[in-house]
Amino acid sequence: MIKLFEHGAWLIRGTQIVPEEDKEKVQAVCGKQADKEEDRKGTIAYSILKAHNTSDDMSHLKIRFDAMTSHDITFVGIIQTAKASGMEKFPLPYVLTNCHNSLCAVGGTINEDDHVFGLSAAKKYGGIYVPPHLAVIHQYMRETMAGCGKMILGSDSHTRYGAIGTMAVGEGGGELVKQLLCDTYDVAYPGVVAIYLDGKPNPGVGPQDIALAIIGAVFKNGYVKNKVMEFVGPGVASMTTDYRNGIDVMTTETTCLSSIWRTDEDTKAYLTQHGRAEEYRELNPADVAYYDGLVYVDLSTVKPMIALPFHPSNAYEIDEFLANPADILREVEKSAEALTENTTVDFHLTDKVVDGKVQVEQGIIAGCAGGGYSNLMQAAQILKGRSIGNGAFTLAVYPSSQPVFMDLVQKGAISTLMAAGSTVKTAFCGPCFGAGDTPANNCLSIRHATRNFPNREGSKPGAGQLSAVALMDARSIAATAANGGVLTSAEQFADVLYEEGRKADEAVDAVRMSGKASAGIMPEYQYDDSAYRVRVYQGFQKAEPDSELIYGPNIKDWPEMEALSNNILLRVCSRIMDKVTTTDELIPSGETSSYRSNPLGLAEFALSRRDPAYVGKAKEADRLERARLAANMKEAAALDDSLAAALAQVQAVDPDADLDCIEIGSVIYCVKPGDGSAREQAASCQRVLGGLANICSEYATKRYRSNVMNWGMLPFQMKEEPCFEVGDYIYVPNVKAALDGDRSDIKAYVIRPDVVSGGCGTAVQEISLYIADMTENEIEIVKAGCLINFNRNRMKTMHTNA
């Protein structure tokens, strides 16, 4: 059972829940009168945020983090941006991992060039460099950097170490640049929602099952959006820290801001095991703590789950799905039809149902969510002595780090998996974003990974290729593999896990293990960091400023971007009416990532899997702006009849406007953009193509909106349905004044160069845009044209004043 409280709730002494509507009971329970504002300070999140806040105002936080981390899709651009902004060394531990673009054959030597650059940057600026195949980003941070009471910032959306007592945040590269320049992460104090865990998981139920059940309950209603999820309650103690990590990393898919868990002796044992016992301290809410919401989870009621395409929230119990697979898969097919309406894709899943059973073609257990020790050990326990068969079904497993891999080898689990027919590979995030094990056309892949967004696994609908991913726990994937690819719940192998647990129990201290790992006891993990000791470059506080950065031919500087003009003319270059538009649709992952260090090269792929015409249209708008800058608006208008017609309407609504000073740029409209990855390229690719703004109903995540602003684009919103179409213009006068004034009602004009094709039937229509809260720095960043310009201007001012 999962229950969402309609309002907030008090938690008394960690175990008694008092709903907000019964607040008078607080005094009866604990002898203290309920005080919502004061009791908010009783959460674990409050104490950590307060310790990292550099301002005196807890309502508007200015956070400095303890450490940061990036992978090889993001660190080159971040370092290039910070370097251009005046950075001389890394002021805090900054871990550069190489787990996303470690397939160096993709794009020739382009990927390896970035790895060489990363090591040279770690030496020059004093960073920590983790070579390819050694660890995925979040496993390395869990093993070596996370600690109780810390805060860590990462340029990957799944930066989550709450189960180790660390509040971690995944953001776009601009926010990491600010930390490298000793600035702060500025955010309004977030709401904190308690995730109250009760009971314990049943055998066969893994962390992915619990995570998917929670995501299914909270995503669509935005219950935890941009809030902190705080895991409390007696059920926490029923799981090992490794198990908790598997739930915690998936909190990103709820669109929460961060997560934190109460800590206990198992957290201490985990940190001690990893040689960092000094990083432990007990974290618990105060005796009286108020939460802005509460999710009650009875762990004993959670069953093995499956999240069908095309989102982790499309979650069903496996038994529920298998009771009616044809009808449910038909609904997925309808979703695919809507996503591929302008292509020739012939996509079908209902043919996977044969004699009432569902046949899948591929299984993957990988990455920061699936590749942990307990997941792979229990998968091996299920597959021991069994075979995946020699049919179409394949199974690949990726241990999340070399230490995990080494211990699984020592205990024979790797041999067991291989003997069953599995392929075992090194630490790599590729299956999560489409650069590894891309399934064949019309195949259904089941994965213990983080996401199953449209086309994220590597499909190319424009080329007629579409495949689908369903998320499942490693245990049910192993159960499916043991049945030759027939979709199977791990509950069918509960007796196997019981037996393996009994054997393990004979080999360990039964008292110490009692109450733990209720989903199946297993041999104790033995951490060996020898691979890290000999291969990881530890350069923090050892910067070598005279050493050179090593550039490959595909590593390019950011192009110059102009400051915002007071009057702007936006050409609508894409209009997407899907309920949600993910960052993977804004800038596809997979093989396109070979160009992530080349801003203009990567921009060629913007929206390519959702709106292939976008890049050409954005370039045309940018061509007009280049012509205006080189000569004047008259010369620009001579290149495009629609611009000339639009300018005539601009003069009609704003006779005093100086046409030569009106900045031309592109704009995209999406209903709800930015769900998913933190990668800043989702915004920067629009910007380098001349993008000036996004317009939407709401932003799916804070991190995408931050990316939009850090790259100098206006984060517009509107309450009405858009009355403009692709090719129309939107004139926004006095936009800089609006940024400094009342942003709740910004007057703009939709201009239709061709009235006949205009959906609203008139040449000009006034509309109202608005911009939600912005910090003073965010306003100045947008005015400057991007974060790089803002920092350069600031450095000039500092030098002038000096």
Side-chain angles (χ1 to χ4, degrees), residues 144-150 164-166 263 267-268 271-272 274-283:
T144 68
M145 300 296 289
C148 300
K150 285 186 172 182
I164 313 171
T166 297
T263 62
T267 322
K268 182 177 182 180
L271 288 166
T272 302
H274 288 82
R276 297 186 294 119
E278 74 282 357
E279 296 284 1
Y280 175 75
R281 67 183 175 93
E282 183 179 334
L283 298 177

Side-chain angles (χ1 to χ4, degrees), residues 68-380:
M68 299 198 310
T69 187
S70 295
H71 51 64
D72 48 349
I73 281 181
T74 56
F75 67 60
V76 175
I78 290 167
I79 293 167
Q80 289 280 73
T81 302
K83 171 177 171 284
S85 301
M87 178 195 67
E88 296 180 353
K89 66 178 181 179
F90 295 158
L92 74 171
Y94 187 19
V95 177
L96 311 178
T97 68
N98 295 271
C99 52
H100 276 59
N101 283 318
S102 47
L103 291 183
C104 300
V106 179
T109 61
I110 291 173
N111 292 350
E112 185 69 1
D113 286 343
D114 281 2
H115 304 158
V116 171
F117 175 91
L119 179 57
S120 71
K123 290 180 177 179
K124 183 176 182 67
Y125 298 118
I128 300 166
Y129 177 83
V130 184
H133 305 289
L134 213 57
V136 301
I137 177 172
H138 303 309
Q139 184 66 14
Y140 182 84
M141 297 303 288
R142 293 167 185 155
E143 292 171 345
T144 68
M145 300 296 289
C148 300
K150 285 186 172 182
M151 290 193 73
I152 292 177
L153 180 65
S155 57
D156 182 272
S157 58
H158 291 101
T159 306
R160 292 285 188 269
Y161 318 122
I164 313 171
T166 297
M167 280 187 68
V169 179
E171 278 283 359
E175 295 303 322
L176 279 79
V177 170
K178 292 174 185 176
Q179 296 288 309
L180 291 176
L181 298 174
C182 297
D183 288 335
T184 56
Y185 177 69
D186 300 345
V187 62
Y189 186 83
V192 182
V193 174
I195 312 298
Y196 187 92
L197 303 181
D198 205 0
K200 60 183 180 181
N202 291 313
V205 173
Q208 186 82 325
D209 298 316
I210 295 167
L212 293 177
I214 294 172
I215 294 165
V218 304
F219 172 77
K220 292 176 183 176
N221 58 18
Y223 193 79
V224 297
K225 181 179 176 180
N226 293 331
K227 297 180 173 68
V228 177
M229 296 175 73
E230 184 160 308
F231 287 78
V232 293
V236 171
S238 72
M239 301 173 284
T240 65
T241 301
D242 189 56
Y243 192 103
R244 299 172 200 173
N245 284 335
I247 301 171
D248 183 61
V249 72
M250 291 298 291
T251 60
T252 297
E253 305 314 322
T254 67
T255 68
C256 74
L257 178 71
S258 185
S259 64
I260 190 67
W261 292 57
R262 60 174 294 264
T263 62
D264 57 16
E265 288 301 308
D266 198 85
T267 322
K268 182 177 182 180
Y270 180 95
L271 288 166
T272 302
Q273 182 182 60
H274 288 82
R276 297 186 294 119
E278 74 282 357
E279 296 284 1
Y280 175 75
R281 67 183 175 93
E282 183 179 334
L283 298 177
N284 272 305
D287 283 349
V288 180
Y290 175 80
Y291 292 92
D292 299 287
L294 189 143
V295 180
Y296 177 87
V297 183
D298 182 349
L299 296 170
S300 67
T301 65
V302 177
K303 296 172 66 67
M305 303 288 294
I306 182 170
L308 293 168
F310 294 96
H311 198 275
S313 64
N314 192 19
Y316 298 82
E317 292 179 353
I318 292 177
D319 290 346
E320 175 192 8
F321 169 59
L322 292 179
N324 187 25
D327 288 344
I328 294 173
L329 289 175
R330 178 57 190 142
E331 291 303 311
V332 176
E333 290 176 338
K334 290 179 182 178
S335 298
E337 289 169 7
L339 290 166
T340 59
E341 58 184 347
N342 296 319
T343 69
T344 58
V345 170
D346 177 23
F347 178 75
H348 43 86
L349 285 178
T350 49
D351 61 340
K352 309 300 178 191
V353 183
V354 180
D355 295 330
K357 299 178 180 179
V358 177
Q359 181 73 46
V360 299
E361 288 88 357
Q362 185 189 67
I364 304 288
I365 306 171
C368 57
Y373 171 80
S374 59
N375 292 328
L376 293 179
M377 178 58 75
Q378 292 214 298

Side-chain angles (χ1 to χ4, degrees), residues 508-531:
V508 296
D509 182 350
V511 174
R512 183 181 61 77
M513 294 295 289
S514 62
K516 292 288 189 289
S518 59
I521 301 171
M522 64 197 74
E524 185 176 7
Y525 174 57
Q526 300 296 322
Y527 175 70
D528 179 355
D529 69 346
S530 56

